[in-house]
Amino acid sequence: MSRHELFRESWNEVVVRATSPNGCVHLTMQGDRDVRFSFDDAWFHRTTLTDFTDQLTRTFRLALVQRTQTYNRHREMVTGHVTTPIDGSRNPHLQTFVDKRDSLVVEGASADGRVSITAVGLRRFVVTLDPDLWSAGDRGAVERGLEEAGNALLRDQFAQMYELKQAGH
Amino acid sequence: MSEALGVEVGRVWRAGAKRMPEVADTLAGARGGVESSLSGLLSRSSGVGVDVSARFEELRGSIRKALRDSEDAIRDCGTALVWAAEDYQLTDQAARDAYEREKARVD
Amino acid sequence: MTTPQDLATLQDQLMARYDSGSWGSGFPEDPSQFGSCFNDFTDVPDPADFGDYTTALLETLKKLAPGGFDTSTSDDSGQPVTANGNSVLDMVSTAGIELDDWTGQASDGFFTWSQSWKTGISNQFAAVSVLRQLLHAEAAIWTAALDDLKNLGEAAYEALEAADDQFDTGAGDITTTLKVVGAVVAVAAAVPTAGASLSILTAVGAGVTVASTGMDLYAGAQTDSQKFATCCPRDVLADLMDGVSKVRTAVRDAEQKIAEQLDTNNGVIDGAWSEFCQPPPTLTTVHRDHIGAYEGLGTWGGEG
């Protein structure tokens, strides 16, 4: 098994955690899949939809930073090679890749379509919840919907990035 | 006094027959480290780097020649000293005895 | 320690990994370079072969040591080696003193010659030390260069795997450190002169930082690195060839310093050969028939 394969296999066991700035949204992600949410119950029932989605999108951004740092550290630990953010200035091909990556639009939705997440370059996130789902106040249903949408978003992200890699920029 | 002369001639013989060869043998041994060519070690066919093998070989060759010439000089000195001792006319028995004793010394 | 053969194997593995990948449109113009990137380095000096020579030279130094080793002499792993001066060499001086009471021209000449004879040996000792240190520097350069190339190859391999991985976004650069690129900075260890008159004989300024006189480059000299894109093989290959080029340049610069040092030392020796290897005394040219006469050993003046 090559070092990269060892890394890839062991990465599946690594859990990344992120918490929203207000401490009420918790996100875990294992091996770039299996996204899970949990919300502070009291906060969930008194917050507005706007505040809720705002805390969610902030959590996504924090999770992404956390995920990248953990991914790179784990790769260094397993393979011995230091990984740093891609430096597009090294050649025009890479810059094209970076530019396309930063403008990539990916999305994911829950199975019933009532929750969707859209991201541009994994920097700007938009979370859309069906008004009926929100007004029902069923925390478990919202968590499940977001988990399904989150997992779908990750799948779309990897699929589109692979397509971008395959296209040779 | 004849005995002292015998001792002196014996010392000349010992210098030529024992000491000089020992020094020469040491130099011959020292030369062992510079006998092997460095060309095979240092050369490369691809042109990568700067092929320094010829320059290394020049330095090695100089050291080898110097050690060889130094050794030859010491051996020639030894031979000359032995000749000188052997040619010296020791006219009395005491001198000849002292000479033989000096030659036979182990140190 | 990486050998040139290791690099040949590694480039075969790179080629095989490229051939087995699924690359879409991101393939390089000439993918065969994965399998030939180290070709120029597969018959370069093998660091593993230097030990036989430098160990033999250490023995030469011990035999020649006019006054023993100072602390700057080390074995191939950089451990200090101490040795007493070789007392056998003093026999020449002693023999000269013993002939001091002889009145002949050749014995007088021998006395004078014997008292300065060891200076020539000291110069030879210094030259052997220079030769050994410069060989160590060569070994250090190739050790670092081959290690660097191996690291480049391994990083390229990993970058290819990441590029071929559907679950790696390709958004990270793999970085590898290049030791040899930082090699051209400082000095090798001082030459133990031990009475040498040709004090200009030197390896100082060889421009290669070696750890003591061992074969490893001084670790503090690491100053450069090579990044590898992980998004497509075209960029991986470009980064690989860029890294190889850096190593190639660094080796050339470092060996140029060694070449200059060799030129200097060879020039010093050529220009002062009689100090480096003292001409034999007239004693060695006196005819056999005249060896005991006035032009040879003469008579013993010790009877007073």
Side-chain angles (χ1 to χ4, degrees), chain B residues 30 44-46 50 55 87, chain C residues 40 43 60 255 263 288 300:
Chain B
R44 72 297 306 252
S45 62
S46 60
V50 177
R55 291 175 169 95
D87 281 9
Chain C
D40 284 353
D43 80 332
T60 296
E255 278 200 305
D263 286 346
R288 171 79 174 87
W300 184 50

Side-chain angles (χ1 to χ4, degrees), chain A residues 2-4 8 71 75 79 81-84 86-87 90-91 93-94 97 101 158 161-162 165-169, chain C residues 22-26 154 158 161-163 165 167-175 227 229 231-232 234-235 239:
Chain A
S2 73
R3 286 194 279 189
H4 179 80
R8 167 57 57 216
Y71 189 81
R75 174 136 77 187
T79 70
H81 286 126
V82 175
T83 306
T84 51
I86 191 167
D87 177 6
R90 291 193 294 120
N91 75 51
H93 285 300
L94 287 179
F97 178 79
R101 177 201 64 178
F158 280 110
M161 286 298 286
Y162 187 60
K165 284 160 61 172
Q166 289 277 297
H169 336 322
Chain C
S22 170
W23 307 118
S25 307
E154 289 180 346
E158 193 190 326
E161 293 223 286
D165 181 347
F167 299 102
D168 186 285
T169 61
D173 283 339
I174 291 174
T175 303
K227 288 182 173 180
C231 46
C232 77
R234 179 181 50 216
D235 293 331
D239 289 333

Side-chain angles (χ1 to χ4, degrees), chain A residues 41-61:
Chain A
D41 192 61
W43 171 77
F44 177 77
H45 285 105
R46 71 164 185 269
T47 189
T48 63
L49 179 57
T50 306
D51 182 43
F52 179 69
T53 54
D54 180 53
Q55 291 297 322
L56 272 177
T57 55
R58 287 164 181 252
T59 309
F60 289 148
R61 284 200 292 269

Side-chain angles (χ1 to χ4, degrees), chain A residues 147-165:
Chain A
E147 284 166 3
E148 287 172 11
N151 283 320
L153 177 109
L154 284 177
R155 285 194 297 274
D156 190 36
Q157 166 73 11
F158 280 110
Q160 290 205 47
M161 286 298 286
Y162 187 60
E163 202 175 303
L164 186 57
K165 284 160 61 172

Side-chain angles (χ1 to χ4, degrees), chain C residues 178-292:
Chain C
L178 300 176
K179 282 198 295 186
V180 73
V181 174
V184 189
V185 283
V187 297
V191 176
T193 54
S197 63
L198 300 179
S199 57
I200 197 170
L201 276 177
T202 176
V204 175
V208 178
T209 306
V210 295
S212 183
T213 51
M215 291 196 185
D216 288 332
L217 280 177
Y218 176 52
Q222 296 179 357
T223 59
D224 206 354
S225 61
Q226 176 64 43
K227 288 182 173 180
F228 282 87
T230 56
C231 46
C232 77
R234 179 181 50 216
D235 293 331
V236 173
L237 183 59
D239 289 333
L240 174 61
M241 298 315 284
D242 188 31
V244 171
S245 174
K246 284 180 185 172
V247 171
R248 183 191 300 272
T249 302
V251 166
R252 189 196 62 210
D253 291 349
E255 278 200 305
Q256 184 58 42
K257 299 284 184 188
I258 288 181
E260 289 165 8
Q261 211 59 36
L262 284 163
D263 286 346
T264 299
N265 284 299
N266 285 327
V268 168
I269 290 170
D270 283 349
W273 182 259
S274 61
E275 286 182 73
F276 186 66
C277 179
Q278 293 186 318
T282 53
L283 181 65
T284 61
T285 56
V286 177
H287 192 274
R288 171 79 174 87
D289 295 341
H290 305 138
I291 195 69

